Amino acid sequence: MTTRQMLRRTGYVAFMAVVLAFFAVPMLWLASAPFDSDPGIGLRWPDWTLANWETTFNHPYALGSLVNSIVLCVVATAVTTVLATLAAYALSRVRIPGRDALLYVLLLLSSVVTGTAAMVPIFVMMFQLGLINSQYATGLVIAGGMLPAAIFILKDFVDSVPRSYEESARVFGASPTQVLLHVVLPVARPGIATILVWAFVQAWGNFLLPFLLLRDVSQQPAAVLLRTLKDEGGSANLTVIPVFSLLYAVPVVALYLFVSKRYGFRFHGGIKA
Amino acid sequence: MASRDTAGLGVGRAVAFVSPALLLIGVFLVFPALWTIYIGITDYALTGPSSVAPSVVGLDNFVEALDDALFTNALWLTVVFVLGSAVIGQNLLGFALAWLLRGARPALRRVVEGLVLLSWILPSVVVAYLWIAVLDRDGGTLGALLGSPGTAWLVEYPMASLVIFNTWRGTAFSMMLYGSALAAVPPSQLETARTVGASGWQTVRDVVFPHIRGHVLTNTLLISLWTANDFTPFLLTAGGPNHESETLPIFIYQQAIASGRLGYAAAISVLLLLVNLVVAALYLLLLRRRS
Amino acid sequence: MAGIELTGLSTVYPNGVRAVDDLDLSITDGEFFALLGPSGCGKTTLLRTIAGLEQSSSGTVLIDGADVTRLEAGRRQVAMVFQDYALFPHMTVAENIAYPLRVRRATKQARQEAAVRTSGGLGLGTLLERRPAQLSGGQQQRVALARAIAMEAEVLLLDEPLSNLDARLRLEARTFLKRLQRELGMTTVFVTHDQAEALALADRIAVMSEGRIRQVGSPKEVFQRPRDTFVANFIGSTPMNLLSAIVREGHLEVAGTRLPLPPGVQLTDDTAVTVGIRPEYLRVDGGGEGITGTVSIVENLGVTSLVTLECPDGALVGLTVPEQDEPAVGTTLTAAPEPGRLLLYDGETGVLLGS
């Protein structure tokens, strides 16, 4: 090995070590603090205990907020998946006048009208409609924001399903409903599952919209509650926050692992998860 | 031929299938975007007389923004944030990882990719706590590692902290995009470069870059757009101390909700929407030209 | 029982392309019928129009005497096997085969029975629980056929039935298909771009180009007496010789020699014609009037060899000879057409003369 090669090899190893540390160190807190008898802000080898978990489960709003998160996510995810599937199927298979322009506008909308840019009108609209503190309404707002991207990804997916499947079913006498139920939905299942998981993860992690629209602590999802967890003294509740962070993060990671194992991690350009 | 109605659905049923989605998009995306423009030319407020009867003030809000030191501050900080964490940070680190991981051992590759992806998929509230734990003054991990506790990184260097944080947060996207772009570079060309003795840097410049130039551009546009609209800095610094990390999204939030000046905040939102529109249109244009 | 009657059928696409152009065709009951032509000739559109997957712009489709022109696919008693077989990937072989019964809401038991009954005859009995992805190409094709048969339709349509199989399997499947069609006795229409496939399988062939039918006939008719130069060119593994000629004093002046006019053809002097003669129908016997030229290329085809003669006027003439009689390159040969095999086409329109 020449000196040059040695230097390169050393540089490579050093770079990888720094990168690994950079990405790993912040995560370690999530593994240690929930089990530490005296959880601090910083990272340290924990004095193992499960007492934090008991405190968390006894917290008046902690478990309730997880249920709120589930309600919010189920509404947003169900609406997004069902409506996006129907729309994507029709847009893929029937030439509706102005379809291509519509698809481009959808793609534009999905990236232009972000939650941040539209927070004022959305807040004002829900405020005037008296829908502040409504979980279902918040779920619909989140769904509206996810729909363009969901339609776009699903249409791509349905486009790749051979049309001969549906034609074949039609020749055998299947009605449009039967074609949809017997053939299209089962064949498109991987795509629909991807959207389902994507939408759930997006809604689960969404902070800004529930933060704006759900002011009542009993209605707030985990994302908002976690942000505002305070102990009696008013400072951050360090007993509950680590445990609750872990509880709140686990479903997201689990869903990702499930999807990448089941369907392979597909990379959809333009999709932020 | 692709235009044939192969599903036997018929235009009527197709329209019925598309309408519910369009209705929701119309109500919660298109209408708010347009309404922002209207609110932006009024003095609409959360409380007080103009909350009941807002009056149209024309372009006053926009004129005021030009004179508002806090707005120009927010604009400047957003530019710093986007350039530092997205255009430079995520782009370079993402490419470096994609390039160096190609030949890495599968185990190393899986671990690095897994960690980078994890930092991308974790919910933003959790991620914010993770970084507060790293950067906090009392017992923060970084202070402990450097052996110099007592530095409140988020207070003393708020923007630098946010840039580092967002690089950590968003590198995964660039890494994956460049990873798939690099996979499309013909191996024969890389081997040719090697047989003529090109160095690593020369190979990247002369062989790889021409292939991925389009990807670099689209990637930069996308991550810039997302970064400019990112609300996560709010969870770390809430814009403080003393507006030192108040990027545009936080500025809009503070004006609208904390100060209740909905009209003014809407006017700033219109500006953000316009920038988004320009960037997204550029992105679509590039996408279209490539296909 | 179930003949197919197409009258004045036209399909015009929004971009103005006439995929099918004022076409009349009648297919009799029980016939194995081929729609043959190059890609883009409208044969697939025609097949899909019969299936009801596509609506014609004008004209009528009659199946078994009933007008089905505006009837939806699936209500026409027409079964179809697609080029890619379109087996549903999420269903087992049995579920695929019984799918036409599921559409009609038959009981689970009736469906299972139909799957077993239909699959048995096609040698699929042991594969019923497999998924399509676990089958070979030939097996997939037979499942698709079984599913079409299970529909118990009057008419069977096949879109490029052999194109998805590799070369060796294709011959096997061809024989199998022909036997199956004989056994079922079902009116069967298939689309192909491969003339050998059409000749081997069909009772009758319609040769199409640009949305129109150029010739309808038995394989023998289409091969031996192509109605125009397009069909002559398209049919046959070795291309037919088409040589321009002039009529002089009751003879043909062609390729630098004189040949007698075929009997029964009356043509005035100076008429420009095209002489058509298949390489298989040229004989090197030494006797008779023939075309003389120098052997320029010899291609071995196995049992026979294809010899290319270069004539004094530069024309190239192909003929096949038994492989053991292969001439040496550079020798001079005279090739005479077999009696009755020489065809004359109008020099301008390309239509067969004296038919």
Side-chain angles (χ1 to χ4, degrees):
Chain A
M1 214 193 267
T2 64
T3 330
R4 201 189 147 89
Q5 278 173 322
M6 269 208 350
L7 274 174
R8 267 174 74 174
R9 184 86 206 134
T10 319
Y12 178 81
V13 170
F15 178 78
M16 280 301 166
V18 169
V19 166
L20 271 176
F22 179 51
F23 280 95
V25 164
M27 314 261 193
L28 293 177
W29 183 79
L30 203 53
S32 72
F35 306 98
D36 197 331
S37 65
D38 178 23
I41 259 308
L43 182 64
R44 65 168 199 147
W45 186 250
D47 175 20
W48 297 103
T49 174
L50 289 176
N52 302 334
W53 292 76
E54 208 182 314
T55 320
T56 305
F57 289 135
N58 289 329
H59 188 278
Y61 295 113
L63 292 184
S65 79
L66 283 173
V67 174
N68 290 341
S69 273
I70 290 171
V71 171
L72 195 66
C73 282
V74 166
V75 171
T77 307
V79 169
T80 304
T81 310
V82 172
L83 297 193
T85 303
L86 289 176
Y89 176 56
L91 287 174
S92 167
R93 295 307 199 231
V94 183
R95 188 163 205 95
I96 300 171
R99 178 184 71 172
D100 292 349
L102 179 71
L103 283 167
Y104 265 101
V105 170
L106 281 182
L107 196 60
L108 261 181
L109 276 178
S110 68
S111 37
V112 172
V113 189
T114 56
T116 13
M119 73 170 119
V120 176
I122 284 175
F123 176 76
V124 173
M125 179 165 81
M126 303 310 266
F127 182 70
Q128 293 191 346
L129 292 173
L131 289 174
I132 298 291
N133 285 331
S134 161
Q135 286 176 321
Y136 299 111
T138 308
L140 282 183
V141 175
I142 295 175
M146 297 193 293
L147 267 171
I151 292 173
F152 217 81
I153 303 168
L154 265 178
K155 183 193 165 273
D156 243 25
F157 194 88
V158 180
D159 280 347
S160 72
V161 173
R163 284 145 200 270
S164 58
Y165 288 153
E166 292 138 77
E167 294 182 338
S168 182
R170 278 176 66 202
V171 167
F172 296 127
S175 67
T177 320
Q178 283 176 318
V179 173
L180 190 66
L181 291 179
H182 295 170
V183 181
V184 177
L185 288 182
V187 172
R189 204 170 54 186
I192 295 171
T194 308
I195 286 301
L196 199 83
V197 169
W198 172 78
F200 192 90
V201 170
Q202 289 281 94
W204 187 262
N206 195 322
F207 168 75
L208 180 59
L209 286 172
F211 180 60
L212 282 175
L213 302 177
L214 299 174
R215 317 299 288 186
D216 179 356
V217 70
S218 65
Q219 303 289 314
Q220 284 173 347
V224 180
L225 183 85
L226 181 55
R227 166 72 190 168
T228 48
L229 274 176
K230 300 274 174 6
D231 59 20
E232 296 78 16
S235 56
N237 185 339
L238 285 179
T239 320
V240 176
I241 284 173
V243 175
F244 196 66
S245 295
L246 192 58
L247 275 178
Y248 169 58
V250 159
V252 172
V253 177
L255 278 173
Y256 258 94
L257 288 178
F258 167 74
V259 167
S260 67
K261 204 170 182 76
R262 181 88 187 255
Y263 301 111
F265 193 89
R266 251 192 299 272
F267 179 63
H268 295 288
I271 288 305
K272 177 141 166 89
Chain B
M1 296 287 226
S3 65
R4 287 191 302 230
D5 173 13
T6 47
L9 212 55
V11 172
R13 229 186 247 111
V15 170
F17 276 21
V18 178
S19 307
L22 289 190
L23 182 74
L24 219 57
I25 293 170
V27 172
F28 293 120
L29 226 50
V30 180
F31 171 69
L34 297 178
W35 203 24
T36 317
I37 302 172
Y38 174 72
I39 301 176
I41 56 165
T42 66
D43 63 353
Y44 192 43
L46 206 49
T47 52
S50 25
S51 71
V52 191
S55 53
V56 174
V57 294
L59 296 179
D60 283 7
N61 286 328
F62 297 93
V63 175
E64 186 190 338
L66 293 178
D67 268 345
D68 185 350
L70 280 182
F71 169 70
T72 40
N73 171 60
L75 198 61
W76 167 244
L77 291 179
T78 309
V79 171
V80 170
F81 187 51
V82 168
L83 281 182
S85 71
V87 176
I88 296 173
Q90 296 179 8
N91 236 343
L92 286 186
L93 187 58
F95 179 80
L97 284 175
W99 176 250
L100 292 175
L101 285 176
R102 277 174 324 134
R105 264 170 297 157
L108 176 69
R109 192 187 166 130
R110 255 205 304 280
V111 170
V112 175
E113 280 184 351
L115 279 172
V116 176
L117 270 174
L118 191 62
S119 65
W120 191 49
I121 62 175
L122 283 175
S124 51
V125 188
V126 172
V127 163
Y129 276 120
L130 295 185
W131 275 82
I132 288 172
V134 171
L135 299 173
D136 195 70
R137 181 207 311 262
D138 306 312
T141 310
L142 185 61
L145 282 177
L146 296 177
S148 61
T151 314
W153 301 94
L154 284 171
V155 179
E156 287 176 43
Y157 311 100
M159 273 322 283
S161 301
L162 287 183
V163 166
I164 302 273
F165 158 77
N166 198 48
T167 304
W168 179 89
R169 171 75 164 152
T171 292
F173 182 82
S174 303
M175 180 185 78
M176 288 192 297
L177 193 139
Y178 288 135
S180 62
L182 286 176
V185 177
S188 59
Q189 295 191 10
L190 293 175
E191 279 156 12
T192 308
R194 232 173 63 195
T195 50
V196 300
S199 71
W201 163 242
Q202 284 169 328
T203 310
V204 170
R205 189 192 57 196
D206 301 332
V207 181
V208 176
F209 188 69
H211 274 285
I212 64 165
R213 194 168 13 204
H215 296 271
V216 173
L217 214 53
T218 49
N219 181 52
T220 307
L221 286 177
L222 275 179
I223 57 179
S224 300
L225 193 119
W226 293 332
T227 303
N229 287 273
D230 189 14
F231 197 67
T232 317
F234 176 84
L235 299 169
L236 277 160
T237 64
N242 191 27
H243 309 289
E244 272 178 51
S245 62
E246 193 171 84
T247 56
L248 273 180
I250 304 174
F251 180 72
I252 294 172
Y253 173 81
Q254 299 289 15
Q255 292 297 327
I257 312 297
S259 311
R261 302 183 61 203
L262 294 170
Y264 185 54
I268 308 296
S269 304
V270 170
L271 297 178
L272 185 59
L273 279 172
L274 282 179
V275 174
N276 286 351
L277 188 66
V278 170
V279 176
L282 260 178
Y283 169 71
L284 279 190
L285 212 69
L286 284 171
L287 217 59
R288 208 167 163 170
R289 199 181 316 151
R290 210 190 302 158
S291 66
Chain C
M1 266 180 8
I4 302 172
E5 206 68 49
L6 309 177
T7 324
L9 210 61
S10 291
T11 302
V12 187
Y13 284 127
N15 57 11
V17 173
R18 302 183 77 85
V20 175
D21 194 359
D22 192 22
L23 180 144
D24 299 306
L25 179 64
S26 106
I27 299 165
T28 53
D29 177 44
E31 201 170 22
F32 202 178
F33 195 92
L35 296 172
L36 172 67
S39 62
C41 73
K43 56 189 192 298
T44 302
T45 307
L46 188 59
L47 193 79
R48 293 167 57 88
T49 309
I50 299 174
L53 290 171
E54 224 152 311
Q55 285 295 330
S56 56
S57 315
S58 60
T60 54
V61 180
L62 266 58
I63 294 177
D64 198 11
D67 186 348
V68 299
T69 316
R70 298 289 151 207
L71 212 57
E72 265 177 63
R75 306 257 175 284
R76 301 184 164 198
Q77 284 304 301
V78 171
M80 181 162 168
V81 174
F82 287 76
Q83 186 172 5
D84 61 0
Y85 312 137
L87 296 177
F88 305 133
H90 56 287
M91 297 185 193
T92 63
V93 167
E95 287 168 338
N96 263 294
I97 295 175
Y99 184 69
L101 284 83
R102 180 173 168 198
V103 169
R104 282 178 247 152
R105 303 198 164 78
T107 62
K108 256 208 157 68
Q109 201 192 343
R111 272 145 61 180
Q112 187 61 28
E113 279 170 15
V116 171
R117 183 168 8 99
T118 320
S119 62
L122 292 166
L124 297 166
T126 56
L127 305 173
L128 283 177
E129 293 316 309
R130 300 251 188 112
R131 303 249 167 190
Q134 298 167 301
L135 302 178
S136 70
Q139 290 168 334
Q140 289 183 12
Q141 189 193 38
R142 275 181 281 152
V143 175
L145 282 166
R147 182 172 64 176
I149 293 166
M151 189 179 168
E152 296 181 332
E154 306 277 349
V155 172
L156 177 61
L157 305 177
L158 310 170
D159 189 3
E160 298 274 4
L162 302 175
S163 67
N164 259 6
L165 302 171
D166 54 48
R168 180 159 287 281
L169 211 55
R170 204 171 291 179
L171 279 183
E172 233 172 80
R174 203 166 77 181
T175 317
F176 173 82
L177 257 185
K178 189 145 188 169
R179 184 183 311 131
L180 183 72
Q181 200 273 340
R182 289 273 175 279
E183 284 169 11
L184 294 170
M186 226 171 144
T187 312
T188 306
V189 184
F190 73 101
V191 154
T192 181
H193 64 273
D194 182 345
Q195 51 86 29
E197 210 173 289
L199 292 175
L201 282 173
D203 298 326
R204 281 200 305 151
I205 301 172
V207 184
M208 292 183 66
S209 102
E210 293 170 351
R212 292 164 178 271
I213 290 181
R214 295 302 190 102
Q215 182 172 10
V216 182
S218 68
K220 212 174 242 168
E221 287 163 0
V222 173
F223 184 79
Q224 294 182 351
R225 291 188 68 79
R227 226 185 59 80
D228 59 26
T229 46
F230 173 82
V231 179
N233 238 325
F234 197 74
I235 303 275
S237 316
T238 50
M240 184 190 265
N241 296 302
L242 291 169
L243 308 162
S244 31
I246 302 269
V247 180
R248 287 269 156 76
E249 299 156 13
H251 277 73
L252 289 165
E253 275 192 4
V254 58
T257 44
R258 281 164 76 95
L259 294 176
L261 272 174
V265 179
Q266 301 296 323
L267 287 170
T268 51
D269 276 9
D270 294 330
T271 314
V273 293
T274 303
V275 170
I277 177 80
R278 290 206 176 276
E280 294 86 350
Y281 297 151
L282 281 170
R283 286 276 173 273
V284 195
D285 296 323
E289 289 163 289
I291 299 168
T292 307
T294 318
V295 175
S296 62
I297 297 169
V298 179
E299 294 163 71
N300 191 312
L301 303 178
V303 183
T304 57
S305 292
L306 178 63
V307 176
T308 303
L309 289 182
E310 198 172 332
C311 299
D313 68 342
L316 297 176
V317 176
L319 68 144
T320 54
V321 298
E323 161 264 335
Q324 66 271 21
D325 297 340
E326 211 174 78
V329 172
T331 50
T332 304
L333 283 185
T334 300
E338 284 181 20
R341 296 300 196 188
L342 188 137
L343 304 169
L344 288 184
Y345 295 95
D346 188 298
E348 273 171 43
T349 61
V351 174
L352 183 65
L353 298 171
S355 53

